[in-house]
Amino acid sequence: VQLVESGGGLVQPGGSLRLSCAASGLISDYYRIGWFRQAPGKEREGVSSIKSTDWHAYYADNVKGRFTISRDNAKNTVYLEMNSLKPEDTAVYYCAVSYGDSWDSDYIDHWAKGTLVTVSS
């Protein structure tokens, strides 16, 4: 299984970024895919995820209304559109896949290497 991320970088507060994650080699057609993030000195937290079989999405409370997750099944790619970014969004963002229904880091089956998002003026 490979999860290849792209799209991280430096952005000013209030700006936008889009993360992409291309998945290959998954062993099931049913999975949940999305992102976690980890800021320096903090625990890894779930940000957003979406099922492979419907459009039901999960968002952490602190990103609701600002982040939007979407997927392109033909490309096996999921996207995270991040708008109105804040300095507290600064973190390493990890694409992840779970073959279960929960979005808990203890139950993730596959992790990407992570991409750094820095929100700073």
Side-chain angles (χ1 to χ4, degrees):
V1 174
Q2 272 197 318
L3 301 176
V4 180
E5 297 168 306
S6 60
L10 173 65
V11 63
Q12 291 187 341
S16 299
L17 277 177
R18 189 175 80 155
L19 303 182
S20 301
C21 177
S24 61
L26 295 175
I27 62 173
S28 172
D29 290 333
Y30 177 82
Y31 55 88
R32 183 176 284 274
I33 187 168
W35 274 269
F36 286 78
R37 69 184 181 186
Q38 188 164 20
K42 294 189 176 181
E43 292 188 355
R44 193 170 295 191
E45 63 171 348
V47 176
S48 181
S49 65
I50 190 168
K51 290 183 179 180
S52 59
T53 54
D54 60 41
W55 292 100
H56 178 74
Y58 157 81
Y59 295 98
D61 287 342
N62 53 8
V63 305
K64 281 180 182 176
R66 300 189 297 122
F67 291 10
T68 302
I69 194 168
S70 61
R71 70 172 196 270
D72 184 335
N73 281 353
K75 297 180 180 180
N76 281 342
T77 299
V78 63
Y79 306 96
L80 186 68
E81 187 75 35
M82 304 185 294
N83 298 315
S84 302
L85 283 162
K86 306 174 182 180
E88 51 264 43
D89 294 316
T90 295
V92 177
Y93 284 69
Y94 297 90
C95 180
V97 167
S98 169
Y99 296 119
D101 284 326
S102 67
W103 198 240
D104 184 313
S105 58
D106 288 340
Y107 299 101
I108 294 300
D109 294 286
H110 307 293
W111 292 99
K113 293 182 179 179
T115 186
L116 179 62
V117 171
T118 303
V119 184
S120 175
S121 55

